[in-house]
Amino acid sequence: ETALLPTHFSNLAASPASLSLQQLRAFARNQDVGSHPTYFYETWVNRRMALPAISLIMVLLAAPVAQSLQRQRGVALGLVVGIGLGFLYFITDGLLQALGESGMLPPLLAAWSPMALFTMIGAASLIRVEGH
């Protein structure tokens, strides 16, 4: 007899993106459970908690573009820079996520550093556009 249920086996085979936060935390806490090392699941736990901030960062990256469109100077350049920064964010986020999953970066750094970096970039470009 065992306490294992079929859902336990399906959770082992599931992608971390499809697991709930509680399931990811359970895998991260128990070293003997899961099909990956604990740092893999810890990276996904941190990413899941950081995920709501992405929408705010995208707004912060778009704000300088909106300001330049309003003032009608550098519209094309502002649009290209805004789209480029958004694209660069997703590339950086994916790269650091992969480094966190492989254990080359601490999970906290892998999940939160793209947020911090692009928040600083967005704030700096907004300050530059505003002229302060």
Side-chain angles (χ1 to χ4, degrees):
E1 293 206 20
T2 182
L4 292 175
L5 300 172
T7 57
H8 292 120
F9 293 107
S10 66
N11 287 343
L12 286 174
S15 165
S18 65
L19 296 175
S20 70
L21 187 58
Q22 292 82 10
Q23 292 169 327
L24 286 170
R25 284 184 177 157
F27 282 132
R29 270 189 247 116
N30 299 322
Q31 195 170 10
D32 299 330
V33 179
S35 58
H36 298 283
T38 56
Y39 55 79
F40 179 87
Y41 295 110
E42 288 172 7
T43 303
W44 274 93
V45 166
N46 282 298
R47 178 175 173 77
R48 190 66 58 86
M49 291 190 307
L51 212 52
I54 292 175
S55 59
L56 297 174
I57 291 171
M58 289 300 144
V59 169
L60 184 62
L61 291 176
V65 174
Q67 289 294 328
S68 67
L69 287 174
Q70 181 182 9
R71 295 182 183 161
Q72 295 298 323
R73 54 172 207 209
V75 174
L77 180 63
L79 191 61
V80 168
V81 169
I83 292 172
L85 284 174
F87 184 68
L88 187 62
Y89 171 80
F90 286 114
I91 290 174
T92 304
D93 185 50
L95 177 67
L96 292 175
Q97 177 75 20
L99 290 173
E101 288 175 355
S102 69
M104 296 182 77
L105 279 178
L108 193 66
L109 183 67
W112 290 95
S113 60
M115 309 281 177
L117 175 67
F118 282 89
T119 299
M120 289 186 287
I121 290 171
S125 61
L126 188 59
I127 288 169
R128 185 184 55 80
V129 166
E130 286 293 322
H132 290 80

